[in-house]
Amino acid sequence: MKFIYVVSLALACFIFSLTAKAQSVNPALLSQQWKASWITVPNEPAHDYGIYHFQKTVDLPTKPARFVIHVSADNRYKLYVNHTLVSLGPARGDTYYWNYETVDIAQYLIGGKNTIAATVWNDGEYRPEAQITQQTAFILQGDTGVEEVLNTDASWKCVRDNAYKPLLGVGYSTYYVAGPGEQVDMHKTVKDWQNNDNGWLNAQKIDRGSPKGFTNAFGWMLVPSSLPQMEMKQQRLTALRKATGINVPASFPAEKTAITIPANTKVSLLLDQSFLTNAYLTLNFSGGDNAGISLTYCESPMRNVGNTYQIVKPNRNEVEGYKFVGRKDSVISDGTAKQSFTTLAFRTYRYILVNISTKDEPLTIDDIYGTFTGYPFKFNAKLNAGNPEMQQMLDIGFRTARSCAMETYFDCPYYEQLQYIGDGRIQALISYYNTGDDRLARNALNQMDHSRLAEGITLSRHPSFSPQIISTFSLWYISMLHDYWMYRNDEAFVKDKLDGARQVLAFFAKYQQADGSLKNPPYWRFVDWVGTKGWDFGQPPKDANGNSAMLDMQLLWTLQQAAEMESKIGLTVYAEMYKARAAKLKATIQHKYWDARNGFYADASDKQTYSQHANALAILSGVAGANTVSLAKKIEADSNLVKCTIYFKYYLHQALVKGGLGNNYMNWLDVWRNNIKMGLTTWAEISDLEHDRSDCHAWGASPNIEFFRTVLGIDSYAPGFSKIKIEPRLGKMESASGEIPHPNGVVAVNYAKSGGHWAINISLPMRTDGVLVWKGKSYPLKGGKNLLSI
């Protein structure tokens, strides 16, 4: 079936087309109703599951030098020009901010006949939780009068592809909301759909496209996407780990190698990418009429417990004696040559279990491979510490961060694909320190601001079809905004967000008692995935009056951060109000939770439980004051405190560094070492690696920040990174060097010990000064090169 095979070739061609520069938008399209209409397929349900093809053919007198279009859909689209995939989208948002992509398709056009085609799909009731939707629809608008020949209207042809059905579940009980698999019967596919529209219907117009802010706009309020197209590159599977029912050549699947399954045969192939990835899986095959092919995508093997598959995981490299269950696709062959199946959406996997059952004809697998996709981050930092373990952790951390970054940040790519702000704060800092690309962070801050409810609080995650509120995450939203203010030179952006931050803090003020302490603030008060005494589904202990040290301390810290922003770029009245609220709350926390006998802050005023969490927040919020150093030493030494999981260690480590223990940082990484020992190639969601659900959670990738901020000592010393603080904490290292991207250029450091002296070479961006802090003494730094011998 050549028509489908061409699609997979087009996907490969698209890999090389992503370096195109971002295109500007005709200003009229930002304020006036579009001439193009949203279109759909007539006589099809507007909200149900369905895959649809749209097509228009135009004749052009010559190949144009420029041909810019704007395109969007609901739920998703893939756009092809003359069989080449040129755009995927739209970037996820909500109906009040519905993204469209802008693409210059001139390079794909020719003088003469040109075919513009799109596949649009709606997952209906099975849609991913992150997918907000209005109804099945597609729109394409030319940027100027020249390109308007392609505007979507009733002249476009369309058809439903009845080959597809949703395939649900992951084979075991867990929270899974990342969308269905695909069940495809190749007998029913629309034949030659990019070349032949015979029998197709004329599209049905819904309504003209309307930019956000247009009078009487409803439905999709269109805004230009602020993000680039996702990266796409071919990624071959590395190894065949097991084969049952067939002998397979050694070159399969690492090289394109055909294998033939005889008639009336069942075969099982376990393929290993060798690391976790996000990719569009492509399977090319021939013959084998009515043969069934299932593709099960797995992060890891699982043990079979009783009669059900439960999350009990061995070393991720082990395959013998374990089960492989997960999200699945299924394909039925129609017996012809050169058939091809490529997933509509990307799949997350390390392992793929391929089960094949042939009928009366042999089936040939011509090839199987992935096309990696992800936000096009580039690793622009450098680290050289002569420590292979650090480099391994850095590589795993960046793979984790990339796997959790697409058109939004993800908590995890396999199970949820949701942008939680508690995760996003850490992910954004990784973006700043490792890449210098802040577009996805800015998008996350915008989307969380858009999610804010009338009562003032933000949603915990957005976009999300089902609203969820984690009240503590609204406070982390303000902290994430403060981070952006400190590390990015974009004051106007932050200033625009201050009113939303005020509303969040006004929400919490409603639940503060006369002494400033929070009493039973509503919604999910998640802090960390701890299950010990007093903790409830990640919520920390509280006393009989509904007070919790951790909630009070986080609020205090947030009030301080908000006051800093207000005093510099906001309103003095808010800065003073927040300072007053913070002063009262600080005194209350010290009185209510400090246990002088134990020398720790308790989790609640009844002093029944004690945790690293509360004491770390006591340091970070400034409550510990003059006791910061002694408290940090006690936290580090005491094994009886409830421990932070891999996520909250981000805050624990910051507190220990603030307490002067940063030279011990490399001693605190056992949970990451355990991940490596257990064969993980991305960081797990929790510290219990045997019972971990997700094997890829970027909230655990904080070493990708701290290797640069703590060990090399590079940090912001003023808003916008306008001043740079260099305070290395090298531990036992006698040499180390590295660099990070900076809004004004690059910050590079080099430390080398010789005898009893250190040669220190620090390079700052021009016109950006700073300070070196070395063993408690400060040395001024200027823009450019700074050479010191200490």
Side-chain angles (χ1 to χ4, degrees):
M1 287 240 188
K2 183 177 180 182
F3 71 99
I4 299 178
Y5 192 56
V6 167
V7 172
S8 64
L9 291 176
L11 185 64
C13 293
F14 185 59
I15 295 168
F16 305 102
S17 70
L18 296 176
T19 57
K21 296 180 180 178
Q23 304 297 323
S24 60
V25 180
N26 184 340
L29 299 176
L30 301 175
S31 60
Q32 300 174 21
Q33 192 169 40
W34 290 8
K35 295 180 181 178
S37 294
W38 286 96
I39 58 174
T40 192
V41 179
N43 307 318
E44 294 292 344
H47 306 286
D48 292 355
Y49 178 92
I51 285 75
Y52 306 93
H53 304 299
F54 295 83
Q55 187 192 126
K56 186 175 179 83
T57 300
V58 294
D59 282 304
L60 299 177
T62 59
K63 179 180 177 66
R66 178 184 185 275
F67 207 94
V68 175
I69 59 170
H70 314 288
V71 59
S72 190
D74 185 349
N75 299 168
R76 306 280 294 175
Y77 74 84
K78 292 182 180 180
L79 181 70
Y80 303 85
V81 176
N82 293 329
H83 303 289
T84 298
L85 181 62
V86 300
S87 183
L88 296 91
R92 278 178 178 156
D94 55 49
T95 54
Y96 297 97
Y97 295 87
W98 194 270
N99 288 301
Y100 60 87
E101 279 69 42
T102 297
V103 190
D104 187 347
I105 61 173
Q107 63 179 307
Y108 311 107
L109 297 171
I110 61 174
K113 181 181 177 182
N114 293 269
T115 300
I116 317 300
T119 296
V120 174
W121 66 96
N122 186 342
D123 284 320
E125 63 181 300
Y126 315 111
R127 84 261 159 309
E129 179 59 52
Q131 182 64 57
I132 292 173
T133 177
Q134 181 83 7
Q135 70 163 89
T136 305
F138 175 62
I139 192 168
L140 189 153
Q141 168 71 49
D143 190 58
T144 68
V146 174
E147 297 100 336
E148 286 179 359
V149 66
L150 289 182
N151 284 2
T152 43
D153 56 22
S155 69
W156 277 70
K157 297 288 188 176
C158 55
V159 69
R160 178 171 185 156
D161 195 327
N162 289 308
Y164 288 80
K165 293 181 180 178
L167 195 55
L168 307 179
V170 292
Y172 51 95
S173 177
T174 189
Y175 182 60
Y176 173 83
V177 289
E182 299 161 30
Q183 186 172 348
V184 182
D185 185 343
M186 301 301 286
H187 299 91
K188 300 178 181 179
T189 53
V190 179
K191 312 305 179 185
D192 205 15
W193 73 271
Q194 292 197 54
N195 290 323
N196 183 6
D197 60 8
N198 289 339
W200 291 26
L201 301 174
N202 289 96
Q204 176 182 323
K205 293 198 295 184
I206 302 171
D207 192 15
R208 287 169 64 184
S210 296
K212 183 171 180 62
F214 181 76
T215 305
N216 294 328
F218 67 94
W220 307 274
M221 299 184 185
L222 290 162
V223 296
S225 174
S226 61
L227 303 176
Q229 283 280 323
M230 300 301 100
E231 182 181 350
M232 303 276 280
K233 66 179 180 182
Q234 190 177 107
Q235 186 178 70
R236 297 209 64 86
L237 289 145
T238 302
L240 172 70
R241 296 295 299 274
K242 292 178 68 176
T244 304
I246 191 173
N247 293 320
V248 179
S251 58
F252 178 89
E255 300 174 12
K256 182 179 179 181
T257 305
I259 60 172
T260 298
I261 297 92
N264 300 307
T265 300
K266 291 185 177 181
V267 164
S268 180
L269 307 170
L270 181 62
L271 310 181
D272 186 355
Q273 183 67 59
S274 79
F275 54 85
L276 188 137
T277 191
N278 296 330
Y280 295 90
L281 194 282
T282 293
L283 175 69
N284 297 329
F285 55 102
S286 299
D289 191 23
N290 287 316
I293 309 165
S294 72
L295 304 154
T296 302
Y297 308 95
C298 311
E299 286 189 314
S300 63
M302 292 190 187
R303 292 191 178 98
N304 192 3
V305 180
N307 295 320
T308 61
Y309 297 125
Q310 297 181 15
I311 299 177
V312 182
K313 299 180 178 181
N315 185 295
R316 306 312 192 260
N317 296 319
E318 298 175 6
V319 300
E320 292 297 332
Y322 299 110
K323 300 292 184 180
F324 289 82
V325 292
R327 184 179 186 175
K328 185 180 293 185
D329 293 316
S330 178
V331 184
I332 299 174
S333 173
D334 68 5
T336 60
K338 293 186 177 180
Q339 299 170 76
S340 185
F341 166 75
T342 297
T343 55
L344 292 170
F346 73 86
R347 302 293 187 251
T348 300
Y349 56 86
R350 172 177 170 176
Y351 295 99
I352 303 178
L353 179 63
V354 184
N355 287 322
I356 302 170
S357 179
T358 59
K359 300 300 183 183
D360 295 333
E361 297 178 7
L363 174 78
T364 297
I365 301 299
D366 298 313
D367 199 9
I368 185 169
Y369 61 90
T371 300
F372 165 81
T373 188
Y375 184 89
F377 279 128
K378 302 297 181 186
F379 192 80
N380 291 320
K382 294 179 181 178
L383 176 67
N384 184 5
N387 185 336
E389 180 187 65
M390 290 180 74
Q391 187 60 53
Q392 185 180 17
M393 288 183 179
L394 195 64
D395 293 342
I396 293 173
F398 193 61
R399 180 184 298 118
T400 309
R402 289 217 67 193
S403 298
C404 295
M406 201 71 64
E407 298 153 356
T408 66
Y409 290 122
F410 292 158
D411 62 327
C412 57
Y414 193 99
Y415 292 95
E416 296 187 42
Q417 299 176 14
L418 287 164
Q419 182 171 248
Y420 288 88
I421 208 65
D423 308 56
R425 184 189 183 195
I426 297 171
Q427 290 169 284
L429 281 161
I430 295 168
S431 300
Y432 308 154
Y433 266 95
N434 291 184
T435 77
D437 187 338
D438 57 23
R439 290 173 291 181
L440 200 59
R442 196 161 50 245
N443 183 69
L445 286 164
N446 276 329
Q447 291 186 322
M448 294 313 298
D449 188 41
H450 299 161
S451 80
R452 198 173 58 256
L453 304 177
E455 58 192 296
I457 200 167
T458 68
L459 299 180
S460 64
R461 61 194 193 192
H462 195 68
S464 175
F465 191 82
S466 304
Q468 184 201 69
I469 303 171
I470 300 176
S471 47
T472 46
F473 277 21
S474 279
L475 296 177
W476 289 139
Y477 163 71
I478 296 175
S479 298
M480 183 176 175
L481 184 65
H482 185 271
D483 292 340
Y484 186 88
W485 180 56
M486 290 297 294
Y487 289 96
R488 313 312 296 162
N489 185 18
D490 195 355
E491 183 179 288
F493 178 88
V494 178
K495 189 172 183 178
D496 181 63
K497 297 288 182 289
L498 288 182
D499 188 58
R502 294 165 191 155
Q503 292 183 45
V504 170
L505 289 172
F507 168 87
F508 280 92
K510 299 173 190 175
Y511 301 96
Q512 287 184 268
Q513 301 169 93
D515 63 0
S517 182
L518 285 167
K519 180 177 182 179
N520 289 325
Y523 304 113
W524 189 9
R525 300 177 292 274
F526 177 85
V527 170
D528 193 13
W529 282 124
V530 175
T532 57
K533 178 183 176 182
W535 289 75
D536 176 23
F537 197 53
Q539 299 177 112
K542 60 181 181 179
D543 58 29
N545 294 320
N547 306 142
S548 165
M550 278 168 254
L551 299 189
D552 283 346
M553 291 169 179
Q554 188 184 351
L555 176 60
L556 171 61
W557 193 15
T558 308
L559 285 167
Q560 294 164 347
Q561 293 170 327
E564 289 178 20
M565 293 187 287
E566 292 285 3
S567 65
K568 296 287 187 180
I569 60 174
L571 297 174
T572 304
V573 63
Y574 279 102
E576 295 305 315
M577 179 177 68
Y578 294 153
K579 289 177 184 177
R581 286 172 61 185
K584 177 183 285 189
L585 181 55
K586 184 176 181 181
T588 295
I589 290 170
Q590 182 67 25
H591 170 73
K592 216 169 224 183
Y593 306 116
W594 174 247
D595 186 336
R597 182 175 59 86
N598 288 329
F600 285 117
Y601 290 88
D603 294 335
S605 63
D606 55 16
K607 298 182 174 59
Q608 295 295 305
T609 61
Y610 300 81
S611 66
Q612 291 180 335
H613 306 73
N615 288 279
L617 288 174
I619 290 175
L620 293 173
S621 64
V623 173
N627 295 323
T628 292
V629 172
S630 60
L631 181 58
K633 290 179 179 178
K634 285 176 63 65
I635 296 171
E636 185 183 41
D638 197 297
S639 60
N640 294 317
L641 293 174
V642 172
K643 291 179 173 53
C644 302
T645 72
I646 189 171
Y647 157 55
F648 214 84
K649 285 183 185 293
Y650 171 74
Y651 298 103
L652 172 65
H653 293 168
Q654 280 187 284
L656 296 178
V657 170
K658 187 175 179 179
L661 302 179
N663 280 307
N664 299 339
Y665 180 75
M666 295 303 297
N667 299 333
W668 304 335
L669 303 180
D670 283 351
V671 67
W672 289 273
R673 294 184 177 105
N674 291 339
N675 271 251
I676 294 172
K677 289 177 184 177
M678 284 288 284
L680 281 100
T681 62
T682 48
W683 303 128
E685 180 177 9
I686 60 175
S687 300
D688 181 356
L689 301 179
E690 189 178 28
H691 301 97
D692 165 64
R693 179 191 61 150
S694 164
D695 276 2
C696 184
H697 247 68
W699 69 4
S702 56
N704 279 57
I705 305 166
E706 304 309 341
F707 285 161
F708 299 98
R709 183 167 65 182
T710 295
V711 178
L712 295 184
I714 306 170
D715 203 359
S716 174
Y717 203 40
F721 225 152
S722 58
K723 292 185 182 297
I724 299 167
K725 183 179 182 181
I726 308 292
E727 187 175 2
R729 302 165 186 90
L730 300 173
K732 297 179 180 180
M733 300 177 195
E734 296 193 348
S735 67
S737 64
E739 65 181 48
I740 67 162
H742 181 277
N744 298 336
V746 172
V747 180
V749 298
N750 190 311
Y751 313 106
K753 186 177 182 182
S754 179
H757 291 82
W758 283 86
I760 301 174
N761 186 341
I762 298 172
S763 179
L764 304 184
M766 298 305 295
R767 299 180 300 281
T768 311
D769 60 14
V771 61
L772 167 68
V773 179
W774 186 270
K775 296 183 179 180
K777 186 176 180 180
S778 297
Y779 303 83
L781 302 172
K782 64 182 187 303
K785 292 186 177 181
N786 299 264
L787 303 176
L788 299 94
S789 178
I790 302 176

